[in-house]
Amino acid sequence: MIREKFQALVSACADDADMLDIIDSDMKALSDYVNAVYAMETSIPIILARYEGEEVRDRIQALDQRRRDKHERAIVATKRLNRFAQMEHVQPLFAGDTSDRYQVAEFCQACMTEFFAGRDGHTLSLDEALHHPVHLEKTAEEAEYER
């Protein structure tokens, strides 16, 4: 469902290159946060095995700060994506509470899971993308939301 909402937002903003650039940047911010969590979780055991004392603390603090910064950026991105959706009269990508850090974190993870799982195993070539653009039909829920 996130993918369809994203596509509706992109379609609604198709004539505004600046908005599309911001949407692109904001969607990447969501994956950047997920990646920061992954990097932290996979790095901590290695740090604990390789270093001692203050070095452990400093390295883990740096990872945690990076994760926190990416989380803040993802929160801003989520709010803006929803604001753009509202401006364009399409469904917001995130239906939760943007002031709840945990909900936004779960949304980021859900985005990555949905986009990854939704791959069909085939990446369009540039020629295919130009000559066979994907147009998603509006669902009944989306049509109702626009009323």
Side-chain angles (χ1 to χ4, degrees), residues 4 7-8 10-11 14 124 129-138 142:
E4 289 82 8
Q7 184 61 46
V10 169
S11 295
L124 292 177
L130 292 173
H131 293 96
H132 305 288
V134 175
H135 296 286
L136 297 176
E137 298 285 328
K138 288 184 183 175
E142 290 169 330

Side-chain angles (χ1 to χ4, degrees), residues 3-103:
R3 181 188 290 265
E4 289 82 8
K5 292 175 183 179
F6 166 72
Q7 184 61 46
L9 179 60
V10 169
S11 295
C13 298
D15 294 331
D16 189 331
D18 291 335
M19 281 183 76
L20 291 174
D21 287 345
I22 294 168
I23 292 166
D24 184 42
S25 175
D26 285 348
M27 291 301 290
K28 286 181 172 110
L30 305 180
S31 67
D32 288 347
Y33 169 64
V34 173
N35 189 52
V37 171
Y38 176 79
M40 183 172 176
E41 294 300 319
T42 58
S43 295
I44 287 175
I46 294 168
I47 290 168
L48 293 172
R50 291 180 71 182
Y51 303 100
E52 294 180 1
E54 287 186 35
E55 185 78 12
V56 168
R57 183 193 50 148
D58 292 346
R59 288 177 179 271
I60 291 175
Q61 282 180 341
L63 283 171
D64 189 49
Q65 186 61 52
R66 179 177 183 274
R67 180 202 51 79
R68 188 180 346 242
D69 292 346
K70 298 294 184 181
H71 196 176
E72 290 298 327
R73 173 66 179 95
I75 291 168
V76 168
T78 301
K79 289 178 181 179
R80 185 168 37 211
L81 289 165
N82 275 1
R83 188 170 59 249
F84 283 0
Q86 183 180 20
M87 289 169 40
E88 297 298 326
H89 307 288
V90 297
Q91 286 187 304
L93 276 69
F94 177 62
D97 178 2
T98 55
S99 66
D100 184 325
R101 299 176 63 78
Y102 296 106
Q103 285 186 33

